[in-house]
Structures are given as structure tokens and as C-alpha cells.
């Protein structure tokens, strides 16, 4: 908004009231204000804020050279020379400066940031007779901005890591699927007669397996995305953990390919849980045990403890170093360069999120060459807060 | 060529992903190559150390246990094995000192051309 100087001047009533009003207004401005004479730079008028922001007592020395007690730095770290301050540029060169930010060293030695706006004041002939500057302390605002930016950058980094992880996870089944189809195409082109129908069907079944894997991965990735976006919503009901475990064992039997999974559990362990999510936890941990279990038997035990049900999944496979153990549940770690020894997918991350949403706890004991034991404790009821709405307790 | 060609050019595939490993093995067998597979770097090294000498190694990088990077370092330390060319095939990551690098999903024509360049045409 631009107004002419005349329109903004309070009407002079002849008793000096207008002048006092103007000065009062300047003193109470939320920003620092100074009016200086041109070209000398002598301060004609300034408000308290100038002292408060710079924490320098008394009026600065005469003229532009007198600005030297004000210590400020350009963004490139160069110190402001007296004639480089916006106000000096306005009265010397007629420059309009809008929102220039400088780091300052205050009179008490502390550092901060100010944002300055200055303009020349011209007479009817266009000659510069004065200059005005306003400035404000933006230190806190900048700090908040910086914190917000750091937060945004962290969120973007997580999203990038997620996309990289997703892309990596999807490439293996895509690769296998493409190889199967390309293999079939090559045979069809070169020697179709040499290929039997059963062999063709076997190849198609294998391609199908890879599609099923892709679907599972896409589901898992969507889960991660869902958890990241809004957390997990649990659909809780009174269910029997042992029955769920037995269902999961049936589900995983083909993948186990003959590797025994021994269940050690009481007849029934009831609680108010999200059955599908518990099933997912068991499936993830058992798949993991099969993958790294070196083909040896896996033990799944369920115990009814006083406040929580305990699930233990123990394999006697390759095990993990303490370094990997400390990081396996961390966020999308598998693609960080030092994680190349790991090879775990998103499953464990998702598992931990589910267990946490249930108010439970998951940890792992592992030793290289001896295997790993994942221990999950899930309280019998969801925590009182947050989950009540979706908990339907069968009475 | 100064040295005689072996009867069937042999390839060792090292990949922990069974789907990729088996699909690639089947395709290369169909193309006339003699193929051996290993589930990780340790198994690959064991295969080589009992005396097998494939003409090319197709090496996945991200594997549990002895991964592609470790395998390559170990292979280069072993004078008997250092000369075997390695084609790195990975869904993520890079092996800077691989002889060649391909990214999953593999471009089949590129791989077959590469194999022919490295060790000549397969039989059959």
C-alpha cells in the first residue's frame, strides 16, 4: 500500500499535537524505525526498538561513519561496511531496499538476524533530503523456519528412502517374471516343437508365483504407506491367539517346503486383538525365520503371561550380528550402504509398527551362526487411549 | 583364439533371490549354457574353491551373509579366481570394480550379447 507523505501526516492543529502524535506512533511501532538526514546520515528521529534490537546504548555517532558500532554480516559472511547498510544506500544512492536480512552482532555480543526495509525521502525537486529505515528482529522466526525446513527435509528423505526401498523390493519378482516370459518367448520363436505342455504349464506356474509375490509386496508397501500417513487403525475383537497361530501355520505350510514349524502353546490364549494384524505379525516373523533359518526346524511358542501374551519365534539359522540386531526394526534401513549385509525387507518394520499400535513390544535375541529368537508381547487389551473407538469387545 | 574353447561355456549365478536365480538359470540353460547356481557369496566361493571354473560369474549384490561386494573382494584376493569375469546384476547398489553391470529387471538381449562377447557363443 502506498500513500503520499501528505495524506499520511496528521493534520497540524497548530499546538504541536500532530507532531507529538506522529512521534508517539513512531515510538510505538512494532518495528524499529529511524529517520536520518541526507546525505550526512545524522539521526533525526528513531524509536526505542532500534536500541532494543541492537542492544546498543546511546545515539550512534554522527553521519554514516557513525554506523560502525552496528556490526552486521551479509549472507556470504562479509561484514557490512557503514555505507553498505540499507539506510546508507537509500540516502546515498536513492535505493529502495525491501526486506534485506542481515546477521548482526548485538551490543551484548549475542548474534541475531534482522530484516531491513529502507527508502529515500525526496523533496519536490527530487533531491534526497532524508532516509527512513524500519527493521525487525527475525531471529526466532528464522529459527522456526529452519526447524520447519529440517523437518520437511527429513520427511522428504524418508519418502525418498521409501520409494527406493519399494523400487528395490519390486525389482526381484519383476526380474524373475520377465525372465520367465522372455524364456518362453525365445523358445516359442526358436523351437516351439521341443516344448511340452507340462513344461509350459510349469513355467507359467512359476511366472504366477512371481505375480503373487508382487501382489504381496505391493500390499506390504501400501501398508507402510498407510502406517506412515495416518497410523494403524486396529479392528479389535475378542479372539484366540492360539487359533490364529494354527491358521497361520496352515497358510505358511507351502512356503515352509517341508521345514518343520513346531507349535508350543496352551489350548487357548484369549485377548482383545486385531486378528488380521496378529496374523500378519506371525506371518512376517515366520517367513523371516524360514528365510534365514538355514532349513532347520522353527519353534513357535505362545504363553499366557500376567499382563500380555508372549509369542516367541525361534530359528537356528544364520543369526545376526549385534550391529544388525540394533537396526533391523529401524526405518527403511535396508538401503543404507552399511546395511548391505542385512537383506531384511519391510516386513520387520511393519511388524514393529503393528506391535507398537497394539501397545506391545518386540525384541530379538540373535547370535551369528546360532539363530534368532523374536519375542513379541501383546497386552490382552488395547491401550485405553486412541483405540477405544475401533475396539469391539464381545461380552 | 589361442586357447581352446571348453565344450559348453559355463556360467555361475550367485543370487539369494530364488525366483530370479531359477528364472535366469532356466533361460540360460535353454540358451545352451551350462549353469551352476549359488544362494550367496559363501556358496559361490565354496563352489569355486572345489575346482569349478565358470567362464563368467553373474553376481547379485545385496545378499545376506557374504554379499556381492564381499564376494568380489574375496575373489580378487584369490589368484586362482581373480581372472573370472564378473557381471554384477543388482536391484540396488553398484559394484564399481565389476567387469560389467546390469540392473534388475535384466535386459535379456543385453545380457546374452554380453555373455557372447565375454566367452563366445554357447553350444546348441
Amino acid at each position: 500500500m502506498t500513500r503520499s507523505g501528505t495524506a499520511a501526516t496528521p493534520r497540524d492543529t497548530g499546538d504541536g499535537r500532530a507532531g507529538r502524535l506522529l512521534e508517539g506512533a513512531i515510538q510505538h511501532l512494532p518495528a524499529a524505525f529511524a529517520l536520518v538526514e541526507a546525505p550526512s546520515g545524522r539521526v533525526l528521529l528513531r524509536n526505542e526498538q532500534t536500541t532494543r534490537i541492537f542492544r546498543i546504548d546511546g545515539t550512534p555517532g554522527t553521519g554514516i561513519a557513525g554506523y560502525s558500532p552496528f556490526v552486521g554480516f551479509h549472507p556470504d559472511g562479509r561484514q557490512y561496511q557503514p555505507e553498505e547498510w540499507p539506510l546508507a544506500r537509500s540516502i546515498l544512492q536513492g535505493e529502495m531496499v525491501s526486506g534485506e536480512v542481515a546477521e548482526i552482532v548485538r551490543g551484548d555480543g549475542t548474534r541475531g538476524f534482522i530484516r531491513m526495509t529502507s527508502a529515500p525521502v525526496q523533496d519536490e525537486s527530487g533531491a534526497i533530503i532524508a532516509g527512513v529505515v524500519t527493521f525487525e528482529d527475525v531471529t526466532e522466526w528464522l529459527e522456526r523456519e529452519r526447524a520447519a525446513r529440517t523437518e520437511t527435509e527429513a520427511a522428504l528423505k524418508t519418502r525418498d528412502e521409501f520409494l527406493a526401498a519399494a523400487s528395490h523390493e519390486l525389482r526381484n519378482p519383476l526380474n524373475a517374471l520377465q525372465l520367465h516370459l522372455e524364456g518362453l518367448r525365445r523358445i516359442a520363436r526358436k523351437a516351439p516343437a521341443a516344448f511340452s505342455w507340462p513344461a509350459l504349464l510349469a513355467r507359467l506356474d512359476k511366472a504366477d508365483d512371481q505375480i503373487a509375490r508382487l501382489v504381496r509386496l505391493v500390499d506390504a508397501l501400501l501398508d507402510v504407506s498407510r502406517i506412515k500417513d495416518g497410523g494403524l487403525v486396529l479392528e479389535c475383537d475378542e479372539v484366540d491367539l492360539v487359533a490364529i497361530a494354527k491358521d497361520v501355520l496352515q497358510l505358511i505350510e507351502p512356503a515352509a517346503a517341508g521345514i518343520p514349524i513346531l507349535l508350543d502353546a496352551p489350548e487357548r490364549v484369549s485377548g482383545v486383538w486385531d486378528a488380521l494384524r496378529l496374523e500378519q505379525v506371525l506371518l512376517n516373523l515366520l517367513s523371516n525365520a524360514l528365510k534365514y533359518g538355514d532349513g532347520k526346524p522353527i519353534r513357535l511358542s505362545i504363553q499366557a503371561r500376567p499382563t500380555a501374551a508372549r509369542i516367541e519365534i525361534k530359528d537356528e539359522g544364520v543369526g545376526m550380528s549385534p550391529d544388525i540386531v540394533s537396526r533391523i526394526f529401524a526405518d527403511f534401513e535396508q538401503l543404507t550402504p552399511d546395511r548391505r549385509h542385512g537383506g531384511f525387507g519391510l516386513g520387520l518394520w511393519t511388524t514393529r509398527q503393528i506391535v507398537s499400535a497394539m501397545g506391545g513390544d518386540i525384541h530379538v535375541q540373535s547370535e551369528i551362526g546360532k539363530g534368532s529368537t523374536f519375542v513379541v508381547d501383546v497386552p490382552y487389551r488395547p491401550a485405553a487411549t486412541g483405540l477405544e473407538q475401533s475396539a469391539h469387545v464381545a461380552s | 583364439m589361442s586357447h581352446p574353447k571348453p565344450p559348453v561355456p559355463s556360467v555361475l549365478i550367485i543370487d539369494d533371490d530364488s525366483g530370479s536365480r531359477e528364472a535366469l538359470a532356466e533361460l540360460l540353460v535353454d540358451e545352451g549354457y551350462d549353469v551352476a547356481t549359488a544362494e550367496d557369496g559363501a556358496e559361490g566361493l565354496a563352489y569355486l574353491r572345489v575346482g569349478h571354473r565358470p567362464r563368467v560369474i553373474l553376481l547379485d549384490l545385496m545378499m545376506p551373509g557374504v554379499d556381492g561386494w564381499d564376494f568380489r573382494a574375496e575373489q580378487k584376493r584369490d589368484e586362482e579366481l581373480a581372472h573370472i569375469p564378473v557381471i554384477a546384476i543388482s536391484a540396488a547398489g553398484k559394484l564399481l570394480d565389476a567387469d560389467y553391470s546390469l540392473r534388475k529387471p535384466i535386459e535379456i538381449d543385453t545380457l546374452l550379447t554380453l555373455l557372447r562377447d565375454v566367452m563366445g557363443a554357447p553350444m546348441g
Side-chain angles (χ1 to χ4, degrees):
Chain A
M1 192 168 66
T2 313
R3 285 204 183 151
S4 78
T6 318
T9 307
R11 187 172 301 154
D12 191 350
T13 52
D15 58 0
R17 196 165 153 256
R20 285 198 301 278
L21 198 60
L22 186 61
E23 196 168 336
I26 287 168
Q27 286 304 339
H28 289 96
L29 272 179
F33 173 90
L35 169 68
V36 303
E37 187 181 66
S40 71
R42 187 168 65 90
V43 176
L44 299 174
L45 185 64
R46 68 189 180 96
N47 66 7
E48 278 301 309
Q49 303 278 6
T50 55
T51 313
R52 206 170 298 155
I53 288 175
F54 270 100
R55 298 178 196 168
I56 289 175
D57 288 333
T59 309
T62 320
I64 289 169
Y67 296 176
S68 53
F70 299 103
V71 180
F73 298 91
H74 295 277
D76 63 6
R78 220 164 27 84
Q79 189 171 346
Y80 272 89
Q81 299 304 308
E83 68 280 3
E84 283 181 328
W85 288 101
L87 183 57
R89 277 144 55 200
S90 288
I91 58 175
L92 296 178
Q93 293 136 37
E95 192 182 333
M96 303 272 294
V97 181
S98 177
E100 186 167 308
V101 174
E103 185 174 8
I104 58 164
V105 179
R106 304 185 187 103
D108 61 4
T110 58
R111 283 177 174 256
F113 288 90
I114 56 169
R115 184 165 44 206
M116 302 165 283
T117 295
S118 70
V121 178
Q122 292 160 310
D123 66 10
E124 292 84 353
S125 70
I128 299 166
I129 53 168
V132 286
V133 65
T134 63
F135 54 93
E136 58 192 317
D137 192 321
V138 291
T139 312
E140 275 180 33
W141 177 81
L142 273 180
E143 273 164 11
R144 277 199 304 274
E145 281 280 291
R146 225 168 258 173
R149 203 181 311 136
T150 309
E151 211 171 285
T152 309
E153 279 165 4
L156 281 174
K157 188 165 171 276
T158 306
R159 184 53 53 103
D160 286 350
E161 283 169 1
F162 174 63
L163 288 173
S167 148
H168 172 248
E169 295 275 331
L170 293 170
R171 272 172 196 277
N172 270 323
L174 266 179
N175 183 51
L177 181 59
Q178 181 171 310
L179 288 168
H180 283 305
L181 294 179
E182 185 61 26
L184 287 173
R185 181 181 293 129
R186 285 178 174 270
I187 287 165
R189 279 204 190 120
K190 272 189 354 200
F195 211 55
S196 69
W197 284 109
L200 172 66
L201 282 174
R203 281 295 261 281
L204 288 175
D205 282 346
K206 284 179 184 170
D208 251 359
D209 289 346
Q210 298 307 319
I211 291 173
R213 233 176 115 196
L214 273 172
V215 170
R216 279 199 304 275
L217 274 172
V218 169
D219 282 345
L221 291 170
L222 281 174
D223 246 357
V224 173
S225 174
R226 235 174 266 144
I227 293 167
K228 282 262 159 204
D229 283 351
L232 270 172
V233 178
L234 299 177
E235 297 285 338
C236 295
D237 224 327
E238 186 152 334
V239 290
D240 173 17
L241 177 56
V242 179
I244 293 172
K246 285 178 181 165
D247 287 347
V248 168
L249 289 181
Q250 274 196 336
L251 268 174
I252 208 162
E253 206 184 337
I259 299 168
I261 304 176
L262 312 167
L263 175 66
D264 174 16
E267 203 170 314
R268 190 178 165 86
V269 176
S270 297
V272 180
W273 292 305
D274 183 325
L276 279 176
R277 291 298 183 180
L278 265 186
E279 192 178 296
Q280 200 178 350
V281 166
L282 287 167
L283 267 175
N284 281 346
L285 293 177
L286 286 172
S287 305
N288 207 54
L290 285 171
K291 195 168 173 189
Y292 298 99
D294 211 16
K296 293 175 188 154
I298 292 159
R299 276 167 211 287
L300 164 60
S301 78
I302 294 171
Q303 301 156 29
R305 302 190 130 218
T307 57
R310 170 161 287 190
I311 303 165
E312 271 187 26
I313 291 171
K314 183 177 167 60
D315 70 63
E316 292 164 24
V318 293
M320 294 175 282
S321 66
D323 180 44
I324 289 177
V325 167
S326 68
R327 290 178 292 131
I328 48 169
F329 296 116
D331 221 357
F332 308 128
E333 269 213 326
Q334 82 227 56
L335 284 187
T336 59
D338 60 354
R339 182 61 206 284
R340 56 194 170 90
H341 294 273
F344 289 98
L346 297 168
L348 286 178
W349 182 84
T350 310
T351 300
R352 193 194 60 174
Q353 302 301 316
I354 295 170
V355 173
S356 301
M358 290 176 167
D361 179 52
I362 180 166
H363 61 273
V364 61
Q365 293 145 359
S366 189
E367 205 177 322
I368 292 261
K370 293 201 171 164
S372 307
T373 305
F374 284 82
V375 181
V376 178
D377 288 320
V378 277
Y380 293 111
R381 285 174 180 274
T385 52
L387 298 171
E388 278 177 332
Q389 286 174 326
S390 55
H392 312 292
V393 184
S395 50
Chain B
M1 291 251 223
S2 57
H3 54 88
K5 252 201 266 181
V8 180
S10 52
V11 178
L12 170 63
I13 301 170
I14 307 176
D15 191 337
D16 68 314
D17 182 72
S18 61
S20 287
R21 192 175 64 234
E22 284 163 20
L24 184 56
E26 281 185 45
L27 187 141
L28 292 181
V29 167
D30 288 343
E31 290 294 315
Y33 292 98
D34 184 12
V35 178
T37 59
E39 284 184 24
D40 59 23
E43 208 178 293
L45 285 168
Y47 174 82
L48 297 173
R49 285 189 171 143
V50 295
H52 296 289
R53 291 292 177 269
R55 298 279 303 279
V56 171
I57 296 166
L58 301 179
L59 179 66
D60 183 30
L61 296 180
M62 290 183 66
M63 294 183 285
V66 178
D67 64 22
W69 292 274
D70 294 341
F71 172 88
R72 179 61 166 169
E74 195 62 32
Q75 182 216 354
K76 289 182 92 174
R77 266 198 293 273
D78 190 328
E79 278 179 24
E80 296 273 305
L81 310 177
H83 68 280
I84 306 173
V86 164
I87 301 177
I89 294 179
S90 187
K94 268 194 178 135
L95 177 61
L96 294 175
D97 69 351
D99 298 287
Y100 306 94
S101 284
L102 294 176
R103 196 162 163 74
K104 289 179 182 176
I106 307 166
E107 184 70 46
I108 315 301
D109 288 331
T110 310
L111 174 65
L112 293 176
T113 308
L114 206 51
L115 287 177
R116 268 193 292 274
D117 287 352
V118 174
M119 59 184 184
M123 306 282 281

